[in-house]
């Protein structure tokens, strides 16, 4: 979790990014969120309680300028308070669709035991009344588009 812009800059400068590297940022700071959304080297902004409350038209504009997307990670359903995290996910899904923000639904698995099948993402979209076309693109098309050249 990045708390300030200088922390992200230090990490980005310390590592040489290859074309296929995808940089993902999770933050609890509005300034850092806006900066990360605008920076073309950062491809994904991860959803958390803080980020979900700041999805709006200005965030959409910054994400589109930076060619980035929002990521909803399903692994948090395993380790956090499930009901509370489910509310955050559904709220984030609804806001992302309302503001037409590119969205990625991922397992964020660190081992095969944490993998979620795609139908779990589809079920969550169904709970949030998200159209199937948007849900399927968040599981396939948007992640594929993020794997292009990095910044």
């Amino acid at each position: 979790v990045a708390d300030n812009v200088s922390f992200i800059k230090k990490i980005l400068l310390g590592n040489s990014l290859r074309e296929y590297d995808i940089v993902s940022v999770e933050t609890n700071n509005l300034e850092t969120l806006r900066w990360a959304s605008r920076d073309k080297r950062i491809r994904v902004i991860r959803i958390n309680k803080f980020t979900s409350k700041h999805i709006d038209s200005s965030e959409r504009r910054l994400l589109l300028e930076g060619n980035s997307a929002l990521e909803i990670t399903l692994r948090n359903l395993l380790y956090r308070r499930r009901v509370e995290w489910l509310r955050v996910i559904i709220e984030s899904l609804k806001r992302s669709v309302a503001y037409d923000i590119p969205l990625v639904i991922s397992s964020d698995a660190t081992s095969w035991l944490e993998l979620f099948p795609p139908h779990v993402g589809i079920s969550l979209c169904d709970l949030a009344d998200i159209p199937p076309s948007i849900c399927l693109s968040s599981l396939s098309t948007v992640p594929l588009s993020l794997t292009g050249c990095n910044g």
Side-chain angles (χ1 to χ4, degrees):
V1 177
D3 291 328
N4 58 46
V5 175
S6 61
F7 176 75
I8 297 174
K9 286 182 180 180
K10 187 171 109 177
I11 293 203
L12 288 173
L13 289 174
N15 297 315
S16 59
L17 298 177
R18 296 172 293 228
E19 282 188 37
Y20 51 85
D21 286 341
I22 297 175
V23 178
S24 176
V25 171
E26 183 176 345
T27 183
N28 292 325
N29 179 311
L30 185 59
E31 177 191 0
T32 308
L33 173 65
R34 301 289 192 223
W35 184 87
S37 298
R38 193 173 37 245
D39 193 305
K40 291 189 184 299
R41 296 170 293 183
I42 297 171
R43 304 306 296 263
V44 177
I45 306 295
R46 299 179 103 183
I47 294 288
N48 58 21
K49 284 184 193 177
F50 175 82
T51 313
S52 69
K53 294 174 186 168
H54 291 90
I55 298 172
D56 56 14
S57 58
S58 62
E59 184 64 24
R60 175 191 184 275
R61 182 179 46 78
L62 293 172
L63 283 166
L64 292 178
E65 281 176 15
N67 194 24
S68 301
L70 291 176
E71 179 185 22
I72 292 178
T73 57
L74 300 178
R75 185 171 64 137
N76 291 326
L77 288 172
L78 291 174
Y79 300 114
R80 296 190 180 179
R81 292 186 202 134
R82 289 187 179 115
V83 174
E84 185 179 339
W85 186 247
L86 189 59
R87 283 190 199 118
V88 169
I89 288 175
I90 290 174
E91 177 186 332
S92 301
L93 283 166
K94 288 181 177 183
R95 284 176 166 231
S96 297
V97 170
Y99 289 108
D100 195 28
I101 295 173
L103 186 65
V104 174
I105 298 174
S106 71
S107 290
D108 188 37
T110 57
S111 77
W112 67 273
L113 295 170
E114 297 173 338
L115 284 174
F116 281 90
H119 67 75
V120 173
I122 293 169
S123 299
L124 285 172
C125 288
D126 197 29
L127 275 174
D129 293 325
I130 305 301
S133 60
I134 294 173
C135 182
L136 291 175
S137 72
S138 70
L139 291 165
S140 58
T141 311
V142 176
L144 183 63
S145 71
L146 292 174
T147 60
C149 183
N150 197 353

